[in-house]
Amino acid sequence: MPMHNPPHPGEALREDVLPALGMTEAELAKHVDYPVEHLDRVLSCCAPISADLAQCLELAGVGNARTWLAEQAAYDAWQRDTKPAFGTHGRRDR
């Protein structure tokens, strides 16, 4: 059953993972070998977790890449399904 309004996975990284690891954003970026500017956009829920970031997280021991990508897909699908998307004829395209 799909989750109602799943959180952006960046929120989980920011709210759960960073405190559990006792790391700052910059320390996590260094730990997973990922640009801090890109990580900041994910943690701010302004950018998706990419396959590259998911792999970096997994290789650094911060979760499983497939899980991060599944969380991103769930978030994206819910956003897509709940926001009106109007086509050229003024009705929702599906």
Side-chain angles (χ1 to χ4, degrees):
M1 183 167 159
M3 182 184 287
H4 176 72
N5 194 11
H8 187 284
E11 182 179 341
L13 276 173
R14 184 184 69 243
E15 299 294 325
D16 301 327
V17 174
L18 283 177
L21 295 174
M23 291 184 175
T24 66
E25 180 181 321
E27 290 168 336
L28 179 62
K30 184 175 181 178
H31 180 68
V32 301
D33 193 27
Y34 199 76
V36 71
E37 300 84 15
H38 295 201
L39 184 61
D40 176 63
R41 291 191 42 75
V42 172
L43 295 176
S44 300
C45 304
C46 295
I49 287 190
S50 65
D52 288 340
L53 176 54
Q55 182 180 25
C56 289
L57 290 166
E58 181 174 353
L59 292 174
V62 183
N64 177 284
R66 288 181 186 266
T67 301
W68 288 116
L69 293 173
E71 289 182 18
Q72 185 65 56
Y75 174 82
D76 292 344
W78 193 87
Q79 294 296 312
R80 179 203 64 222
D81 292 344
T82 58
K83 291 189 177 175
F86 294 98
T88 57
H89 300 293
R91 62 179 182 255
R92 188 168 177 84
D93 286 343
R94 288 260 177 179

